[in-house]
Each structure stands twice: as structure tokens, then as C-alpha cells.
Amino acid sequence: MILLASVPTSSAYIIGVGACIVLILLAAVIATSISYKPDLTDVKKRKIWFWILALLCPVLTFVIAYFAYYKGIKVHTQQTAYMTAIGISAAISFVLYVVLGFIAAKVSKTGKIGNWF
Amino acid sequence: MKKGKLINASLLALTVLLGMSSCDFIKGLFGGDEEPSFKEQLYAYLKKDLPVVTISSDKYAAYFDFSGVYIAYRDPQTKETFNGLTQKITSNGNFNIYKLANSKITELTGKLDPEDQFKQIHNIKEQNQLYAPIKATLEKITEEGRSALLVTDFEEYTKAGGLYTQAYAAPYFKKWLEGGGDITFYVTNYVEKNLPKHLYYVVFDSNDHELLKLVEQGLEGLSKNYTRFTLATNAYPMSYSYLSAAKGGTYHDGQGDDIVSSSVEDGSDNAFFMVDSLRAESYVFNNSWEDIVRNASEMTKENGAEVPFTHLFRNLFIDLSHSDSYKIKELGVKVYNIQDDFEKYWAYTVAIANKPSVKKEAGETYVECPDVSAAYYDETSGKLKKEYDYSKEPGQKVEILDMLDFDDELFKSSFNKDSAHAELGIFFHKGFTGKILQQENPNALLRIDIVPTEVDICDLDIIDQLFGWSGNDCLSASVKSVLQDMKPIGKPIYSYFVRIQ
């Protein structure tokens, strides 16, 4: 796909938010699928998975935005503008993931998700 | 209570929505809500520089001198061309045909079918009259402003019976050219009582050259015993070698993509388009000027660009091989921010097309104005507000300096190779960063004109040969005077209109 018209930098932000939502849901599914252990190792596992996916969040944003849009942009200044948008979006997706995770953990304090924080 | 309020609010919202949609529906039916396209506005803007047509007839005018010019038709070749021309005019049906004789301009009467018209124009008995009012005809042509054909020998007699020797045609020729039109002469030779004279087929036309095309068709394939001379300040044939009809003269890479200015090239109304007959083209760029300059500087061989960037616009060619009136020696480029002037002219166009009417009801007079133009007229007097009267005060045009330059080297080298194919290229002024100092709005509509900066008048001996005859230099003096007074220095021969979105 070649984008010569004004590049929709909004797409980079949408991808960031999308990646964040998908991964937070995935983290929730993983957290619930880990069964309780008497030695409480399950709590650590949930935490580790939460943070692995947190790191994946900006990576996924970058990879999708890069291959879906950035590669198709030929105009130099638009490449620069889009790369900046990807960077900001990746950071936003990470922060949003952590914030959503924190809220979810506090809401279901006693549930499995509560183990995230 | 709450429920009641909710229902009331819903009903209100529904009514508003229905009201809005029905309004839109009605407007849609009459096409009233459609925003005029930029194309439409640009055409109107460019046409303001063409001859103003004051006559309501949409036909062309054709004037035939009936004062003894028929002698010229005795020449078999002239007879052939005159026949071809009159065949075309009478069969076209889109002409008001006039005869010039006895100091009067009279429209042909009779059955007025093509056959009858043709007969009248060729009736030698009718043609053997005196006093063709050529000066009055020229005045009529320039007053009316519509394209016209004049067949005459330009010999005007005074009422005392003498010949006009003063350059009586000059002011009319000048007026026509000042209005943006041009005049094409087909000059033939003939002999009357041992005196060599000329018969002229003269075409007064504007840039679209529709009448000229008809005349050319009428003369196509016939004896060329005439010399063609165009009296014009800007009538140079242009050509292009653009990649496709939807793509303009901006930079394109090896794949045909404009990756410097991101010109919109999808063929839509909001994209690149050309206005052939008005010598202009219009662009919409998706990048700011600063980004365009930045992109351009990236497109170098060192950076691996397959096609290095050289010009903002090129691949436009001008044919200077038979420029009759003037020889262009130097060209330059002028850039203007015309946003204000353009908007003001469009507002004026809308205002003029939708004038208010004064109505009387129960002894009281009031002004009724169409919605579209209500803002432009005074509510009580119904007069056009001063600030919208373009005819009295045009909008602002701000010249932008140090932005673009004309590529003189490219022009001269291509001209020397082939004067019919001289390339016009425009590049960025050295040191231009994309910041336009003379304007607040960096995305304002720009008009980029290619203008002659140095011109020479054509060889005056040719003027004497074509427009002078024994003992009378009234026409050659007219043409010379026009050429001297109308040097087209600074007058655009081609324009680019650029919008940034």
C-alpha cells in the first residue's frame, strides 16, 4: 500500500490503543487460566505474565504500525511524522496498559486479576 | 414527570432532525446547498481577464465588406479560400452575419437559411457598393466583446470621399488585446486597377479560440495563398509531457509518485487539473511548503534517489517558432498570495448572479434578497456593500519574493535546440526554506505566473508588407502602434495555482 495523501497519523494511535486493549484482555484470560496454588506461585506467575504483555504492548504497536502503514509511506517528511506518531503511540499503549491493569486489579482485589498489583 | 420531560425532549429532537433533513432535501432538489467546486471558482476568476461580452446573443458575429472587395475574389485561390470560409460560416448556423456598405452595418435579411445567406454573401451585384463603415464595425466588435470575423480590405472612405490614412484601427485593436483577446489576420494579395492591395480575413477571438478553430477548419486543405499573422500579447501554443492526464508538472519518482509535494492526482475535483484554454493549471499539495523543501532536499543522488529532484514544476513547453507579434527573449516568474483577491472575486460573482429585488406591498417597499447573496447587500437600500464591490476595489494580492525562480538555462538550451519546444521550468529560490515571509497564512492560495521580462517587437518590415499598401499606411501604422504600446512585459503567459491542504 502506498500512501501519498496526507498520512493518517491517527492510525498509529488507534493501533496503540487497540494493541493495549487486546493485550490487557489476553493478560486477563491468562490470569484467570492460571489455577490457584497452595504455595502461592500462581500469584507470581500472573504478575510475570502481566508485565511480559506490558512490554509486548509497545512492541506490537510498533510492529503493526510499521508494516501496515509506515512501510508504504514514500514521502520523507511524512515518514518522519509517522515514525514520531508510532513512538508516542507505543509509549501511550504501554502507559494505558499499566493504568488499565492497575484499575482492574484494584476493582477485583480478591480475584485473580487482583494479583497484578 | 421525568418520563414526560424525556418524551418532550425526544419529540423536540425528532422535529429538529426532521426539519433539518427536509430542508436539506429541498435544497438538494434545487442544488442550492452545493458548495461550488474550486474548479468552478477558478474558471470564473480566470475569465474575468477575458474580453467582456456585453451582448446577450451567444452567436459569433461575421462582417463582410460589400464595398467592392469582390475584386479580390477574382483571384482563383482567394475565391477558393473565401468560398471555404463562407461555406463554414453559413453551414455552422451560429453566426449573426452583417454586411458593411453605404456607411451602415446591416444584418442579412431574407430567408436566412444557409443557402440564402451563402447566396447573399456571394452576390457580386450586392457587393458593388461604397462606404463600408470599417471603423464603426471595429467599434461594434470591441463594444460587444464576442468573437467576430471581419472580411475587409480595411480601406475606409471619409464622408468627403477621401481615404482614411490615419491609424484609425489602433485603439480598437488595443482595446481587444487589453481585454485579453487576440486578433488573427489571414492576409491575401490582389491587384485593383494595377495597384497591389490586400484582402484580410480577421478573427477577433479569445484564448479558447473556438472561432479561430472554425475558420481554420473552413480553410483546411485549400490553397494557402495567405499569410497568417497573430496580433497578440500572450497567444503562444503550449504543450506538456506530463505522465498522465491526472498528473501535473511536479516532481515524480521512478514509480511515477510525487513524493516531494504529495500533489493530489486522483482526478477528482479536488485534485490537479488543467485549464488549457485559459493557460493555467491548478494543484493541491498535501505537504506544507516547509515539508516540500525538506523532501526536495532529500531527493538527491547521494541519498539514493533514482530520479533526483530539480524543479518544482517542469515539462511544460512553449512554441515560440512562429511568434508573430513579439519575440520573447527572457522569461521570469512572479508569485502572489491571491487568497483575498480570489475570495473577494467569488463573493462578487455570487452577489452579481443573485441580485436582490425591491418589492412593494401595502404601500411599503422592501428588499428581497436570495439567501446566498444576502450578506453582500445592504438590507435597506438593496445596494451592493462597498467591501464586496470587486469592480470598484479588487482584493489584496501580495507578491511573494525569494521563493521561486525561473530556470533560464533550461529555457535557453531547449529553445536553441527547438524553438517550438522550449521548456519552462521553475525551481526554488536558493536559500528558500519553506517559510514564506510575506504571508501570515502559510497555506494561502498562490498564483505562480510565468511572465516575459524582455521582449522584442517583430520585424517591422513584415508589418509594412502585410498591412501596408500603395499610398496607405493606416493599417500598418495601427498594427505598429499596438505592438509598441502593448509590450507584454510582466503579463502572464502561463499560470499555476497552488493550494496546500
Side-chain angles (χ1 to χ4, degrees):
Chain A
M1 179 168 57
I2 290 168
L3 297 165
L4 285 168
S6 59
V7 180
T9 46
S10 57
S11 62
Y13 297 109
I14 292 165
I15 289 168
V17 173
C20 165
I21 290 167
V22 168
L23 289 178
I24 198 92
L25 289 176
L26 188 63
V29 170
I30 291 171
T32 46
S33 68
I34 295 170
S35 46
Y36 293 115
K37 292 275 162 62
D39 56 359
L40 296 179
T41 49
D42 59 312
V43 175
K44 205 179 172 188
K45 261 191 182 171
R46 286 187 199 102
K47 263 201 173 95
I48 288 171
W49 270 111
F50 176 79
W51 287 106
I52 287 173
L53 294 186
L55 293 177
L56 259 181
C57 214
V59 175
L60 193 66
T61 304
F62 183 85
V63 170
I64 296 175
Y66 185 87
F67 286 101
Y69 289 96
Y70 182 82
K71 269 194 84 179
I73 302 170
K74 289 175 80 180
V75 181
H76 173 74
T77 47
Q78 291 177 5
Q79 282 177 341
T80 318
Y82 201 78
M83 190 46 88
T84 312
I86 293 179
I88 296 169
S89 170
I92 289 174
S93 71
F94 176 77
V95 173
L96 192 65
Y97 177 92
V98 174
V99 170
L100 285 177
F102 184 77
I103 294 168
K106 293 301 157 197
V107 167
S108 75
K109 250 182 194 170
T110 51
K112 288 179 174 178
I113 286 172
N115 294 154
W116 286 346
F117 283 93
Chain B
M1 189 65 185
K2 261 189 179 175
K3 222 179 184 179
K5 265 189 181 173
L6 198 70
I7 291 168
N8 278 344
S10 311
L11 278 174
L12 189 71
L14 195 68
T15 322
V16 170
L17 267 175
L18 275 174
M20 276 167 64
S21 58
S22 59
C23 261
D24 283 349
F25 175 70
I26 289 164
K27 275 185 191 168
L29 271 182
F30 295 99
D33 66 337
E34 267 179 35
E35 269 287 301
S37 69
F38 180 77
K39 209 176 201 172
E40 195 184 330
Q41 294 182 35
L42 183 63
Y43 269 78
Y45 188 75
L46 288 167
K47 280 186 177 163
K48 80 182 163 66
D49 300 327
L50 294 187
V52 181
V53 181
T54 57
I55 188 165
S56 58
S57 168
D58 56 357
K59 290 183 174 183
Y60 303 115
Y63 301 90
F64 291 91
D65 187 334
F66 273 27
S67 65
V69 174
Y70 70 92
I71 294 165
Y73 313 141
R74 286 178 184 158
D75 177 278
Q77 287 181 318
T78 306
K79 193 176 179 183
E80 200 181 316
T81 53
F82 182 68
N83 185 57
L85 195 63
T86 46
Q87 290 284 19
K88 187 78 200 173
I89 286 167
T90 50
S91 62
N92 180 273
N94 197 29
F95 282 85
N96 290 126
I97 302 173
Y98 301 88
K99 55 182 178 185
L100 315 175
N102 301 320
S103 305
K104 272 190 239 155
I105 306 167
T106 33
E107 193 166 358
L108 292 190
T109 48
K111 277 191 279 175
L112 283 187
D113 56 18
E115 195 188 339
D116 177 57
Q117 288 177 331
F118 188 80
K119 251 190 207 162
Q120 287 196 52
I121 299 170
H122 284 261
N123 183 348
I124 287 179
K125 270 187 204 158
E126 269 267 320
Q127 297 217 9
N128 198 9
Q129 301 184 50
L130 291 170
Y131 305 122
I134 301 161
K135 192 172 175 228
T137 308
L138 293 174
E139 192 175 344
K140 186 171 186 287
I141 290 172
T142 48
E143 279 299 311
E144 289 182 350
R146 61 172 161 167
S147 296
L149 167 76
L150 170 62
V151 178
T152 181
D153 58 0
F154 276 102
E155 276 196 316
E156 172 100 0
Y157 281 85
T158 62
K159 279 185 184 141
L163 261 175
Y164 257 108
T165 49
Q166 194 270 331
Y168 67 89
Y172 306 109
F173 289 167
K174 232 181 265 180
K175 192 177 171 192
W176 189 263
L177 262 54
E178 271 165 0
D182 48 51
I183 307 168
T184 308
F185 295 86
Y186 296 82
V187 189
T188 68
N189 304 319
Y190 71 101
V191 179
E192 186 183 353
K193 293 177 189 159
N194 291 327
L195 289 176
K197 292 186 175 180
H198 300 290
L199 172 74
Y200 301 91
Y201 307 143
V202 193
V203 183
F204 294 79
D205 212 355
S206 53
N207 278 348
D208 54 12
H209 288 141
E210 279 173 16
L211 176 59
L212 192 64
K213 276 175 213 157
L214 279 180
V215 171
E216 287 280 315
Q217 284 165 11
L219 298 174
E220 207 175 343
L222 305 178
S223 319
K224 276 206 173 125
N225 71 326
Y226 52 80
T227 309
R228 200 182 123 145
F229 182 92
T230 307
L231 185 59
T233 55
N234 63 356
Y236 302 99
M238 310 295 291
S239 58
Y240 328 85
S241 66
Y242 296 162
L243 289 174
S244 70
K247 295 185 181 196
T250 51
Y251 168 88
H252 289 87
D253 68 0
Q255 283 83 49
D257 296 321
D258 176 1
I259 60 171
V260 167
S261 44
S262 299
S263 174
V264 183
E265 297 175 331
D266 57 10
S268 70
D269 262 5
N270 190 36
F272 162 77
F273 63 87
M274 299 197 348
V275 195
D276 279 341
S277 57
L278 299 165
R279 296 175 224 286
E281 43 196 75
S282 166
Y283 292 82
V284 182
F285 291 163
N286 261 319
N287 294 337
S288 67
W289 285 110
E290 281 177 299
D291 282 351
I292 292 169
V293 172
R294 225 170 284 151
N295 291 331
S297 65
E298 285 293 319
M299 290 295 127
T300 58
K301 276 232 160 101
E302 294 79 55
N303 282 352
E306 200 185 330
V307 185
F309 176 89
T310 54
H311 296 76
L312 178 66
F313 296 115
R314 65 177 295 182
N315 291 319
L316 172 70
F317 302 90
I318 186 167
D319 182 353
L320 296 171
S321 59
H322 53 269
S323 45
D324 298 336
S325 299
Y326 298 100
K327 305 266 175 249
I328 290 181
K329 294 186 82 181
E330 302 273 349
L331 286 165
V333 66
K334 292 260 181 200
V335 187
Y336 299 93
N337 169 355
I338 57 154
Q339 189 78 43
D340 184 59
D341 191 58
F342 189 83
E343 281 172 9
K344 194 167 176 179
Y345 186 73
W346 182 250
Y348 178 70
T349 311
V350 173
I352 294 300
N354 298 282
K355 285 185 177 162
S357 48
V358 179
K359 299 213 163 164
K360 247 186 183 180
E361 209 170 83
E364 269 187 45
T365 53
Y366 64 97
V367 175
E368 202 176 80
C369 190
D371 285 351
V372 281
S373 62
Y376 309 134
Y377 288 97
D378 188 86
E379 270 173 50
T380 44
S381 69
K383 280 187 181 156
L384 186 62
K385 285 181 190 166
K386 216 177 146 194
E387 63 267 35
Y388 292 108
D389 195 347
Y390 190 93
S391 64
K392 292 219 171 92
E393 201 187 322
Q396 265 192 330
K397 275 189 261 183
V398 184
E399 183 167 3
I400 305 210
L401 303 168
D402 302 335
M403 179 183 180
L404 298 170
D405 287 329
F406 180 75
D407 189 346
D408 205 37
E409 217 169 285
L410 177 72
F411 171 63
K412 283 187 177 149
S413 66
S414 52
F415 176 84
N416 289 337
K417 256 188 236 163
D418 181 2
S419 62
H421 209 60
E423 186 168 0
L424 310 178
I426 293 174
F427 46 41
F428 285 117
H429 181 74
K430 213 176 171 192
F432 177 65
T433 59
K435 271 205 180 103
I436 301 173
L437 300 173
Q438 291 88 353
Q439 67 180 35
E440 280 168 26
N441 173 13
N443 298 341
L445 172 65
L446 296 189
R447 175 181 182 142
I448 300 163
D449 287 335
I450 296 176
V451 296
T453 52
E454 203 185 323
V455 296
D456 277 348
I457 294 175
C458 66
D459 186 358
L460 292 181
D461 289 345
I462 294 173
I463 305 295
D464 285 333
Q465 275 172 34
L466 296 176
F467 300 105
W469 59 92
S470 41
N472 200 336
D473 66 347
C474 71
L475 187 61
S476 62
S478 296
V479 174
K480 277 182 203 170
S481 156
V482 172
L483 288 172
Q484 283 152 356
D485 294 354
M486 298 285 295
K487 268 194 173 184
I489 290 177
K491 285 186 185 162
I493 52 169
Y494 203 83
S495 305
Y496 297 92
F497 290 81
V498 178
R499 290 177 292 156
I500 305 281
Q501 75 175 11

